[in-house]
Amino acid sequence: MAATVEFLNVHKSFGHVEVLKGVDFVVEPSQVVCVIGPSGSGKSTLLRCVNHLEVTTSGAILVNGAMVGYDVRGDRLVEAPEAEIDRRRAKIGMVFQSFNLFGHMTALENVMVGPVKLLKTPKAEAEKQARELLARVGLADRADNYPSQLSGGQQQRVAIARALSMKPDVMLFDEPTSALDPELVGEVLDVMKQLAADGMTMIVVTHEMGFAREVADVVVFMDGGVIVEQGSPDDVLLRPQHERTRSFLAKVF
Ligand code: ADP
Ligand code: MG
């Protein structure tokens, strides 16, 4: 099911340092938003705030109209119970730069573990779904391999299948191809393209400008904790309005 994600005046500080300085934007169901910007501009922090891995200092992020970390009681916000936060977080798939697979589990086990442990899906059913997901990311024949027996691109595809195993409403990608050898980038981007074509709502932090141009509905350029500009890929990447965007693009293209 595709989700809406709303960022409402999101601020985040670490100590005295404000790294998100009022971020506002809306991701519509089935949209793909690519977030670009220089290192340190707050892209990862923004993604981590979506699933409450970081707690916003002020403002709010709504996923399908609800906050991951809080409940509304009358006119005030109360922190949601831990188990409830975990349940909501499970509906937000996240894929990191480092693949973060469980090294002692096979590809199949990595993709089964979430449904079995968190959703209490019967093992046989979880295995059937996991095999389908591995097939979807092109790894049907790698089910019994351990992460150490897989290339980086294959590991990242298992990580995507694992995130999908929880039937997420939205997928967050934080530079999913940055740690890969160049020849392995394409196979991961192809899986992400297919996911986008299947209607998944996606927020993708990436330096892959070709992917952003081809797949994104909206490109967001962040710098210094704010969105400097956002728009269609052609508008932002080919006709940027702001000097900061132009100088960033000059460095990455
Ligand atoms: P990006 O992903 O765009 O490179 P980040 O969101 O990782 O940027 O970081 C934004 C800023 O926040 C950086 O200056 C970084 O050093 C700082 N920062 C990120 N996480 C923490 C943390 N846990 N504690 C302190 N500062 C942090
Ligand atoms: Mg980052």
Side-chain angles (χ1 to χ4, degrees):
M1 260 341 96
T4 320
V5 184
E6 295 170 84
F7 296 83
L8 305 169
N9 198 19
V10 174
H11 289 254
K12 171 66 183 176
S13 297
F14 292 106
H16 295 297
V17 182
E18 192 174 44
V19 301
L20 298 177
K21 301 175 182 172
V23 172
D24 279 288
F25 76 101
V26 177
V27 185
E28 304 289 351
S30 296
Q31 258 187 351
V32 177
V33 174
C34 284
V35 180
I36 62 172
S39 178
S41 57
K43 306 179 301 295
S44 294
T45 304
L46 188 69
L47 280 194
R48 290 167 58 79
C49 284
V50 175
N51 56 9
H52 207 66
L53 288 174
E54 300 287 356
V55 180
T56 55
T57 308
S58 69
I61 303 174
L62 304 180
V63 180
N64 282 334
M67 279 171 282
V68 172
Y70 299 94
D71 290 320
V72 180
R73 291 273 166 71
D75 57 1
R76 32 182 220 112
L77 289 182
V78 294
E79 199 157 0
E82 199 76 32
E84 181 59 23
I85 293 177
D86 282 344
R87 206 184 58 77
R88 294 178 196 171
R89 204 177 258 154
K91 301 302 279 181
I92 302 170
M94 186 142 187
V95 175
F96 302 89
Q97 182 175 335
S98 52
F99 324 121
N100 292 336
L101 295 176
F102 300 115
H104 62 292
M105 293 184 188
T106 63
L108 183 71
E109 289 164 347
N110 265 281
V111 182
M112 285 175 63
V113 64
V116 169
K117 291 261 192 268
L118 297 173
L119 306 179
K120 310 294 178 204
T121 306
K123 269 202 168 162
E125 173 64 18
E127 178 173 339
K128 182 167 167 285
Q129 286 173 16
R131 287 191 188 279
E132 284 165 9
L133 285 169
L134 286 173
R136 193 167 160 195
V137 300
L139 293 172
D141 56 342
R142 294 300 198 151
D144 297 326
N145 284 150
Y146 287 89
S148 61
Q149 300 169 318
L150 300 172
S151 72
Q154 291 169 335
Q155 289 183 56
Q156 193 61 304
R157 286 186 281 149
V158 174
I160 292 171
R162 187 177 62 177
L164 292 173
S165 74
M166 299 302 286
K167 302 191 169 71
D169 295 326
V170 53
M171 287 281 285
L172 312 175
F173 293 88
D174 194 356
E175 299 194 28
T177 59
S178 293
L180 297 176
D181 291 334
E183 74 272 21
L184 304 178
V185 168
E187 65 192 55
V188 173
L189 295 180
D190 285 345
V191 166
M192 293 168 63
K193 276 179 209 167
Q194 189 56 52
L195 204 50
D198 293 343
M200 178 62 75
T201 309
M202 295 165 54
I203 306 177
V204 183
V205 174
T206 187
H207 296 297
E208 293 293 333
M209 297 301 153
F211 176 84
R213 260 204 86 185
E214 188 183 335
V215 182
D217 297 297
V218 175
V219 173
V220 167
F221 173 67
M222 280 185 77
D223 194 11
V226 297
I227 293 177
V228 175
E229 67 181 287
Q230 58 177 300
S232 71
D234 281 0
D235 281 347
V236 175
L237 301 176
L238 301 182
R239 296 181 287 275
Q241 299 298 304
H242 292 262
E243 181 48 39
R244 281 200 276 176
T245 318
R246 280 195 282 272
S247 77
F248 172 76
L249 291 172
K251 283 177 208 142
V252 295
F253 267 124

